[in-house]
């Protein structure tokens, strides 16, 4: 653990009266999600927050690794225990996405939008990714969920292999963006969203840049190409592949396509 660097001490003070008051920091870890899931299994309480300066083996969807320059991103995982049910787990990621989009808009003044299922975009470039993982009990139900966020904040440049695909807050704004301010805005917004669960799905649909777009959903059992028309009550993306023919997509990577001229 780090000692108590001033930026994070200020964050703790600002979050002291919230659900997410227990903010801990590490200089380096393989994965904040992995570490916090281990702590969840050992009894860590609802609302625990883990922030890392650097991840050696950050994880994305479909088992992909994810990396970022040390100190250049907001790498945070949050432990949620309260009000969990299998039918509503997708709302946690939706709420986190909305809270993160709002934080970026407020702190960095960037028009960030959501891409199904768990990305944050500026234009068509990825600014952040989210991953929710559960500690499952013997009955198959979730005992805890860890929601991890990797937000690109202050990068010197975008690596050549990500050119045109990814970006960072400072590269869009032309100024350094405070990670502590982003974290406070994200966590207070996440708490507010979780307190109003009936509004999460509605607001998520409104902020989802994927809806109305032609998409290709890359899945292990074959791609789906069509127009994204809605997200159902279980968080599945509904893709119209032909007139009146809807495919429900529970998992996959979405590529936004250009409409034919």
């Amino acid at each position: 653990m780090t000692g108590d660097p001033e930026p994070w001490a200020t964050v703790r003070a600002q979050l002291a009266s919230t659900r997410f008051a227990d903010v801990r920091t590490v200089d380096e870890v393989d994965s904040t999600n992995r570490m916090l899931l281990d702590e969840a299994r050992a009894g860590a309480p609802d609302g625990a927050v883990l922030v890392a300066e650097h991840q050696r083996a950050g994880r994305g969807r479909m088992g992909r690794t994810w990396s970022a320059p040390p100190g250049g991103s907001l790498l945070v995982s949050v432990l949620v225990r309260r009000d969990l049910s299998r039918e509503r787990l997708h709302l946690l990621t939706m709420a986190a996405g909305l809270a993160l989009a709002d934080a970026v808009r407020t702190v960095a003044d960037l028009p960030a939008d959501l891409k199904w299922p768990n990305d944050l975009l500026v234009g068509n470039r990825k600014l952040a990714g989210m991953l929710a993982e559960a500690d499952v009990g013997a009955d198959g139900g979730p005992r805890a969920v860890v929601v991890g966020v990797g937000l690109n904040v202050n990068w010197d440049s975008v690596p050549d292999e990500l050119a045109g695909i990814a970006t960072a807050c400072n590269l869009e704004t032309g100024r350094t963006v405070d990670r502590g301010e982003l974290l406070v805005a994200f966590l207070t917004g996440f708490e507010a969203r979780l307190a109003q669960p009936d509004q999460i799905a509605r607001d998520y649909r409104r902020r989802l840049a994927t809806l109305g777009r032609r998409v290709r959903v890359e899945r292990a059992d074959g791609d789906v190409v069509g127009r994204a028309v809605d997200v159902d009550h279980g968080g599945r993306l509904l893709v119209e592949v032909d007139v009146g023919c809807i495919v429900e997509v529970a998992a996959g990577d979405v590529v936004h396509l250009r409409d034919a001229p």
Side-chain angles (χ1 to χ4, degrees):
M1 294 286 177
T2 62
D4 195 21
E6 180 58 31
W8 303 121
T10 300
V11 165
R12 292 186 185 92
Q14 293 175 310
L15 294 169
S17 62
T18 73
R19 176 176 180 174
F20 302 116
D22 179 15
V23 178
R24 290 166 291 162
T25 61
V26 293
D27 288 327
E28 185 174 299
V29 69
D30 56 351
S31 161
T32 55
N33 265 26
R34 193 279 308 160
M35 183 173 178
L36 200 52
L37 272 172
D38 286 349
E39 294 187 8
R41 296 181 184 107
D46 175 81
V49 178
L50 180 65
V51 180
E53 292 294 317
H54 180 56
Q55 286 189 127
R56 298 186 304 274
R59 291 177 290 175
R61 294 190 67 256
M62 314 293 284
R64 293 187 177 91
T65 58
W66 187 93
S67 61
S73 301
L74 179 60
L75 307 171
V76 57
S77 292
V78 182
L79 174 59
V80 178
R81 286 194 184 277
R82 301 202 308 242
D83 305 319
L84 295 179
S85 68
R86 276 176 269 195
E87 296 76 19
R88 297 173 73 88
L89 284 181
H90 64 284
L91 295 179
L92 292 177
T93 306
M94 287 183 179
L98 287 165
L100 192 64
D102 289 341
V104 167
R105 287 184 177 220
T106 299
V107 176
D109 195 26
L110 287 176
D113 287 308
L114 296 164
K115 175 186 172 186
W116 189 92
N118 61 357
D119 287 346
L120 192 67
L121 304 179
V122 172
N124 288 316
R125 298 176 302 281
K126 182 174 177 176
L127 189 67
M130 291 158 281
L131 179 65
E133 298 179 279
D135 173 29
V136 178
D139 63 352
R143 297 183 297 193
V145 173
V146 170
V147 180
V149 167
L151 171 64
N152 308 334
V153 183
N154 296 311
W155 286 20
D156 291 335
S157 62
V158 175
D160 290 343
E161 64 270 22
L162 298 178
I165 299 172
T167 189
C169 292
N170 68 315
L171 300 179
E172 296 295 321
T173 63
R175 63 178 176 84
T176 299
V177 178
D178 191 295
R179 289 183 300 154
E181 290 183 21
L182 285 168
L183 181 58
V184 170
F186 166 59
L187 292 177
T188 54
F190 192 27
E191 180 177 46
R193 292 284 182 182
L194 293 177
Q196 299 178 308
D198 293 339
Q199 297 183 27
I200 294 172
R202 179 199 66 189
D203 291 346
Y204 179 80
R205 289 186 181 93
R206 290 176 177 174
R207 297 287 290 276
L208 192 60
T210 303
L211 293 187
R213 299 281 297 266
R214 276 185 48 80
V215 299
R216 182 176 70 251
V217 186
E218 298 173 347
R219 306 184 302 173
D221 59 347
D223 294 355
V224 174
V225 178
R227 189 168 301 277
V229 294
D230 203 356
V231 175
D232 71 10
H233 65 279
R236 292 176 289 268
L237 185 67
L238 304 184
V239 180
E240 187 176 48
V241 297
D242 200 352
V243 177
C245 181
I246 302 294
V247 175
E248 298 178 351
V249 180
D253 285 340
V254 168
V255 178
H256 290 172
L257 303 175
R258 293 181 181 273
D259 282 322

